Amino acid sequence: MATQRQIFFSHQAQTTDFPLAIEMRSALGNYIEDINGKRYLDLISGISVSNIGHRHPHVVDAIKRQVDTHMHLLVYGEFIQAPQTRLAEKLISLVPPSLSSVYFVNSGSEALEGAVKLAKRATGRPDIIHFDKSYHGSSQGALSLIGDEHFSERYRPLVPGVKKLTYNSIPDLHQIDHRTAAVVIEPVQGEAGYVPATREFLEAVRKRCDQTGALLIFDEIQTGIGRTGKFLALEHYGVVPDILLLAKGLGGGMPIGAFLASKELMDNFKENPLLGHITTFGGHPVSAAAALATLEVLENEDLLSSVQMKEALFHERLLHEEIHKIRGKGLMLSVQMKSFEFLKKVIDRCLEKGLITDWFLFNDSSMRIAPPLTITIDEIHHACDVILSSIEEVHLSE
Ligand code: PMP
């Protein structure tokens, strides 16, 4: 009989020749366990998903209760379903008041798609602005906005009218003009290696959008749901977008995404043509129940209040001559080393010692640190011990 490993490699589509390929069995809290019973401290949260840890009991309970009530009933937006309305009410209480209407989708990419469509429909304009090293998803629309053409050029033709500007460069912003439907930006760029926008830059983007009538879309798919120590990264900046994208951590481990805008803006989907965005499973009741429970956990356990202190502890502990720089905001940190080869050896050693880290799509010499916000002080010390001893071993072996 074929092993799961054999099936994985022969029948499950592969996207690289070097997947981690550890056969996992279960997960709880800040740990994932493999089939041999080896426990791994999860320092990346499934890429900023498990912000409240894996299988939080409140989320598991909400999922079970919802499964016993109803699952899918009808395509999005027809029936009134309490898991969705309760989640909408809660979400809207946590974001700037102008973002009063929420459209639930399945993923980050779909949130991006819906938002860009809405911007085109509302403005009647053809162009979209994005930034170098941006990542907004892998569907054709989202891929058109990827900040490194290496990943998109073999998939052309893509969506036309896309213009790429330099992140954090205010002089570039004059290229936002009266043809621009939307400017899509991550307040802290994820796959670039956790590069925060400067306050002046985000303010200038907002100002230029206001001058030209372009809509501002914040992609908080990775930065949202408490990752930076605030519910949304935009709270660090005091800049409010016209459309906000959420996904990843929103479902507490279940798939759900959302884009939020004013009711007035969102109403564009209702006419000429009606059904401006359609999704079968968007806001699935089980995912919506999980998301509401996730937001309750974030609040009830006061998870945001310790993020800054935990961030500071990583900065304090991660000192080594091979660590060139630490970037990021909150529990969204990137540890810059000298090369991919060096980092690869460090990451492999960390894995051997039961610590899951990762690198970034556009920065393969930086280590990704984005643990569940529930990580404890002791676990941070342990993670830093493992990272430092791994760096030292690789350093000495050179
Ligand atoms: N935007 C950002 C900033 C992301 O980090 C990601 C996922 N890495 C996406 C969009 C796409 O989300 P999804 O994979 O759920 O489509």
Side-chain angles (χ1 to χ4, degrees):
M1 209 175 72
T3 63
Q4 304 308 311
R5 188 177 186 82
Q6 285 164 338
I7 297 166
F8 175 76
F9 279 105
S10 50
H11 297 300
Q12 216 181 309
Q14 299 292 310
T15 55
T16 72
D17 277 326
F18 38 86
L20 290 176
I22 305 166
E23 194 173 337
M24 297 304 192
R25 179 170 60 193
S26 62
L28 185 64
N30 302 330
Y31 293 88
I32 307 179
E33 194 173 306
D34 73 12
I35 53 165
N36 301 311
K38 178 172 171 182
R39 265 166 41 107
Y40 296 81
L41 177 58
D42 183 0
L43 221 55
I44 56 173
S45 311
I47 316 295
S48 301
V49 169
S50 313
N51 291 10
I52 60 164
H54 295 270
R55 260 180 354 99
H56 192 289
H58 187 54
V59 174
V60 170
D61 185 50
I63 290 170
K64 286 181 175 165
R65 274 188 284 120
Q66 188 53 45
V67 168
D68 283 340
T69 310
H70 69 79
M71 295 196 277
H72 178 78
L73 298 178
L74 188 58
V75 294
Y76 179 78
E78 291 294 335
F79 288 154
I80 299 167
Q81 302 180 45
Q84 294 174 347
T85 49
R86 287 197 195 116
L87 174 60
E89 186 184 28
K90 181 76 191 165
L91 208 45
I92 275 152
S93 76
L94 295 170
V95 303
S98 53
L99 303 170
S100 58
S101 175
V102 50
Y103 192 123
F104 291 119
V105 291
N106 297 281
S107 67
S109 298
E110 194 190 343
L112 181 280
E113 296 291 339
V116 169
K117 280 172 63 185
L118 182 60
K120 284 185 169 171
R121 170 68 186 81
T123 62
R125 298 175 180 188
D127 292 349
I128 305 294
I129 300 266
H130 70 126
F131 295 89
D132 60 335
K133 298 209 172 114
S134 54
Y135 185 81
H136 303 292
S138 196
S139 57
Q140 293 208 50
L143 190 63
S144 308
L145 301 180
I146 200 164
D148 180 343
E149 274 95 73
H150 171 71
F151 291 96
S152 62
E153 63 193 359
R154 305 293 285 274
Y155 294 96
R156 290 188 189 284
L158 291 164
V159 173
V162 169
K163 217 188 285 178
K164 186 172 69 176
L165 308 187
T166 304
Y167 196 70
N168 275 336
S169 168
I170 293 175
D172 263 32
L173 297 179
H174 72 272
Q175 294 185 60
I176 301 169
D177 59 25
H178 289 88
R179 290 173 56 84
T180 309
V183 176
V184 186
I185 188 166
E186 300 156 83
V188 179
Q189 282 198 317
E191 296 312 311
Y194 293 162
V195 178
T198 64
R199 172 183 283 270
E200 301 70 48
F201 181 63
L202 271 198
E203 283 173 355
V205 173
R206 177 70 272 180
K207 194 166 160 207
R208 185 67 189 158
C209 286
D210 289 342
Q211 283 166 352
T212 57
L215 297 179
L216 180 55
I217 300 177
F218 275 1
D219 179 343
E220 292 236 26
I221 288 165
Q222 201 163 153
T223 54
I225 325 297
R227 176 63 38 210
T228 67
K230 306 265 190 200
F231 181 65
L232 298 173
L234 66 83
E235 294 167 46
H236 294 284
Y237 296 94
V239 177
V240 176
D242 300 294
I243 308 178
L244 171 72
L245 314 183
L246 295 173
K248 285 193 181 277
L250 177 60
M254 291 290 281
I256 188 166
F259 57 102
L260 294 89
S262 69
K263 166 117 179 73
E264 187 191 5
L265 190 53
M266 205 69 96
D267 278 349
N268 280 287
F269 278 148
K270 288 202 305 191
E271 53 197 33
N272 193 22
L274 49 70
L275 297 172
H277 192 70
I278 302 176
T279 170
T280 298
F281 284 127
H284 189 282
V286 179
S287 293
L292 177 61
T294 301
L295 300 180
E296 287 167 354
V297 168
L298 217 56
E299 213 165 66
N300 296 345
E301 297 187 8
D302 195 20
L303 291 180
L304 302 190
S305 65
S306 60
V307 169
Q308 210 183 353
M309 179 263 291
K310 290 173 179 175
E311 172 189 11
L313 184 55
F314 274 111
H315 277 278
E316 217 172 275
R317 287 292 323 273
L318 290 177
L319 301 172
H320 191 283
E321 63 182 292
E322 295 284 6
I323 294 177
H324 299 305
K325 193 177 186 172
I326 300 183
R327 280 180 299 261
K329 230 183 223 323
L331 285 175
M332 199 175 174
L333 298 170
S334 95
V335 182
Q336 182 70 50
M337 297 183 208
K338 67 181 167 205
S339 65
F340 167 76
E341 291 72 24
F342 186 90
L343 176 59
K344 165 99 177 71
K345 288 183 202 161
V346 174
I347 286 179
D348 287 348
R349 275 170 199 257
C350 287
L351 271 178
E352 278 166 27
K353 297 176 194 177
L355 185 71
I356 300 175
T357 64
D358 191 15
W359 42 96
F360 297 90
L361 195 55
F362 309 134
N363 182 341
D364 64 8
S365 51
S366 279
M367 173 186 276
R368 183 193 302 263
I369 296 184
L373 310 182
T374 47
I375 192 167
T376 65
I377 300 304
D378 283 351
E379 286 164 348
I380 294 176
H381 279 297
H382 172 71
C384 291
D385 287 343
V386 170
I387 293 169
L388 290 170
S389 67
S390 300
I391 290 176
E392 183 64 10
E393 285 160 24
V394 177
H395 177 67
L396 291 176
S397 73
E398 290 202 318

